[in-house]
Amino acid sequence: MIVTDKKSSIVEQINELKKKRNAILLAHNYQIPEIQDIADVLGDSLALARAALNTQADVIVFCGVHFMAETAAILNPEKTVLLPDLEAGCSLADSITAEQLREWKKDHPDAVVVSYVNTSAEVKAESDYCCTSSNAVAIVNSIPEDQEILFLPDMFLGEFVKRETGRENIHIWLGECHVHAGIRPDQVADTFTNYDQADLLIHPECGCSTPSMYLKSEGILPKDKTHILSTGQMLDYSKKSNAEQFIVATEVGIIHQMEKQNPNKQFIAANPEAVCPFMKMITLEKVLNSLRNNTHVISVPEKTANKAKCAIDRMIAIG
């Protein structure tokens, strides 16, 4: 942990460099608390993509993972996009390559490809639509009902979308986020036995999402208290809800912001070990170094970026 005086000095230097370089700091809800606290915009993937598109800054420092910085670079080819740690990757994005997608498309030549934003720029360039967990259902619903769909790469989000839309013509790639996959339905159910007045907030990437919906339909989990939400929606819901306790089934980093926004409410992690090591790689020191030394510049080849932007633009426009 950074000593308070040293931390204050680093934050002051970051703020000075931001002004000097006309930079903006975008951070995902799963980042470490120190990064969340200095972010100009804090949000989920969709909110951050919109912020990147609309910013007037010359430099975008992206405190997230690699695919997020790529998305910002695609939307802002004339700006400098920095990722403070190049090792900040994503196990879900790594679960499919552009070549694998091209082979899958050969088996379904008439299908529309809907790719979760947690994918590489090359995969986005092979896609018709991108989506996030907050607008995946809306995007699929915008596609004609008789249109075959390839949904990738997250199988849990894919199953959630299939169930919510009632469509049977969706083929789902068998990828997963290793952190969300590790949040099991028994953990949610066990936690609820100890906090039976709590609202359940479950991210659709979680391995527990589909079983939890079954338990909800069977009355084992309370229908009025069980909610499948993106991280941004979780934050909004927890602010508006009259509940005093919330069981949170997603990466635990979001709880910091929940507690800041709701100091009189209690937030309990369904799985306290649901920690993404990639999301925790960026530190204050790395942000300062990034602004000082222009590390690390993220860029996407123009041909790939132009193709990927079409899918990203559709994501931003819907939901």
Side-chain angles (χ1 to χ4, degrees), residues 13-77:
Q13 292 175 71
I14 288 171
N15 288 333
E16 288 176 359
L17 281 169
K18 279 169 52 183
K19 289 179 182 178
K20 182 178 180 180
R21 301 195 61 187
N22 187 27
I24 187 171
L25 195 97
L26 307 183
H28 192 271
N29 293 318
Y30 297 156
Q31 290 289 294
I32 63 174
E34 290 88 347
I35 296 298
Q36 293 189 37
D37 291 345
I38 66 166
D40 296 301
V41 179
L42 179 69
D44 60 13
S45 297
L46 183 58
L48 295 178
R50 285 177 171 151
L53 178 64
N54 295 324
T55 184
Q56 299 301 309
D58 297 317
V59 178
I60 299 171
V61 182
F62 216 112
C63 298
V65 293
H66 194 271
F67 77 80
M68 296 178 180
E70 276 191 332
T71 301
I74 290 166
L75 293 171
N76 296 279

Side-chain angles (χ1 to χ4, degrees), residues 187-198:
Q187 292 173 323
V188 173
D190 289 347
T191 306
F192 184 70
T193 61
N194 296 320
Y195 300 93
D196 59 1
Q197 297 303 306

Side-chain angles (χ1 to χ4, degrees), residues 82-118:
L82 302 175
L83 181 65
D85 192 326
L86 276 181
E87 297 302 311
C90 174
S91 62
L92 179 56
D94 289 343
S95 68
I96 187 168
T97 65
E99 180 58 33
Q100 288 173 316
L101 177 52
R102 284 190 286 268
E103 290 299 312
W104 198 24
K105 287 166 67 174
K106 287 179 183 178
D107 295 331
H108 304 275
D110 298 321
V112 168
V113 178
V114 179
S115 292
Y116 195 20
V117 72
N118 299 46

Side-chain angles (χ1 to χ4, degrees), residues 6-310:
K6 181 181 178 184
K7 175 181 173 181
S8 298
S9 174
I10 294 173
V11 171
E12 185 177 333
Q13 292 175 71
I14 288 171
N15 288 333
E16 288 176 359
L17 281 169
K18 279 169 52 183
K19 289 179 182 178
K20 182 178 180 180
R21 301 195 61 187
N22 187 27
I24 187 171
L25 195 97
L26 307 183
H28 192 271
N29 293 318
Y30 297 156
Q31 290 289 294
I32 63 174
E34 290 88 347
I35 296 298
Q36 293 189 37
D37 291 345
I38 66 166
D40 296 301
V41 179
L42 179 69
D44 60 13
S45 297
L46 183 58
L48 295 178
R50 285 177 171 151
L53 178 64
N54 295 324
T55 184
Q56 299 301 309
D58 297 317
V59 178
I60 299 171
V61 182
F62 216 112
C63 298
V65 293
H66 194 271
F67 77 80
M68 296 178 180
E70 276 191 332
T71 301
I74 290 166
L75 293 171
N76 296 279
E78 76 289 356
K79 299 181 187 298
T80 299
V81 177
L82 302 175
L83 181 65
D85 192 326
L86 276 181
E87 297 302 311
C90 174
S91 62
L92 179 56
D94 289 343
S95 68
I96 187 168
T97 65
E99 180 58 33
Q100 288 173 316
L101 177 52
R102 284 190 286 268
E103 290 299 312
W104 198 24
K105 287 166 67 174
K106 287 179 183 178
D107 295 331
H108 304 275
D110 298 321
V112 168
V113 178
V114 179
S115 292
Y116 195 20
V117 72
N118 299 46
T119 46
S120 68
E122 290 80 10
V123 167
K124 289 181 176 70
E126 294 289 336
S127 305
D128 298 295
Y129 293 81
C130 283
C131 71
T132 69
S133 56
S134 61
N135 71 355
V137 171
I139 283 177
V140 169
N141 278 332
S142 75
I143 299 168
E145 290 185 6
D146 60 350
Q147 177 65 62
E148 186 180 20
I149 294 174
L150 302 183
F151 190 96
L152 62 106
D154 189 83
M155 60 182 175
F156 298 115
L157 179 60
E159 287 295 338
F160 171 73
V161 170
K162 187 174 183 179
R163 183 175 61 252
E164 290 294 299
T165 60
R167 296 176 63 143
E168 294 299 324
N169 57 350
I170 299 179
H171 307 282
I172 300 169
W173 188 260
L174 298 181
E176 64 179 28
C177 161
H178 74 285
V179 176
H180 281 110
I183 303 176
R184 306 187 310 273
D186 60 294
Q187 292 173 323
V188 173
D190 289 347
T191 306
F192 184 70
T193 61
N194 296 320
Y195 300 93
D196 59 1
Q197 297 303 306
D199 276 11
L200 306 178
L201 310 183
I202 303 171
H203 195 284
E205 277 185 48
C206 289
C208 65
S209 60
T210 298
S212 292
M213 286 298 93
Y214 171 76
L215 295 175
K216 176 181 177 179
S217 68
E218 293 295 305
I220 297 171
L221 291 177
K223 293 183 180 181
D224 61 334
K225 290 179 173 292
T226 305
H227 310 278
I228 306 292
L229 302 168
S230 70
T231 56
Q233 291 166 343
M234 286 182 181
L235 286 165
D236 290 340
Y237 181 86
S238 63
K239 284 190 290 185
K240 296 174 183 177
S241 173
N242 292 324
E244 295 180 355
Q245 294 178 325
F246 301 84
I247 297 169
V248 183
T250 190
E251 210 273 356
V252 298
I254 195 173
I255 291 178
H256 172 69
Q257 200 59 213
M258 288 176 160
E259 291 175 337
K260 281 186 65 177
Q261 294 179 352
N262 307 278
N264 297 319
K265 297 179 181 180
Q266 184 180 13
F267 298 90
I268 305 101
N271 179 354
E273 296 181 0
V275 178
C276 175
F278 299 115
M279 280 287 188
K280 308 307 184 198
M281 286 183 169
I282 294 175
T283 63
L284 291 175
E285 291 94 338
K286 290 177 183 178
V287 171
L288 179 57
N289 180 62
S290 184
L291 281 165
R292 275 179 175 167
N293 300 307
N294 232 36
T295 55
H296 301 271
V297 176
I298 303 299
S299 60
V300 178
E302 184 177 0
K303 183 178 180 181
T304 299
N306 288 341
K307 292 176 67 178
K309 188 175 184 298
C310 294

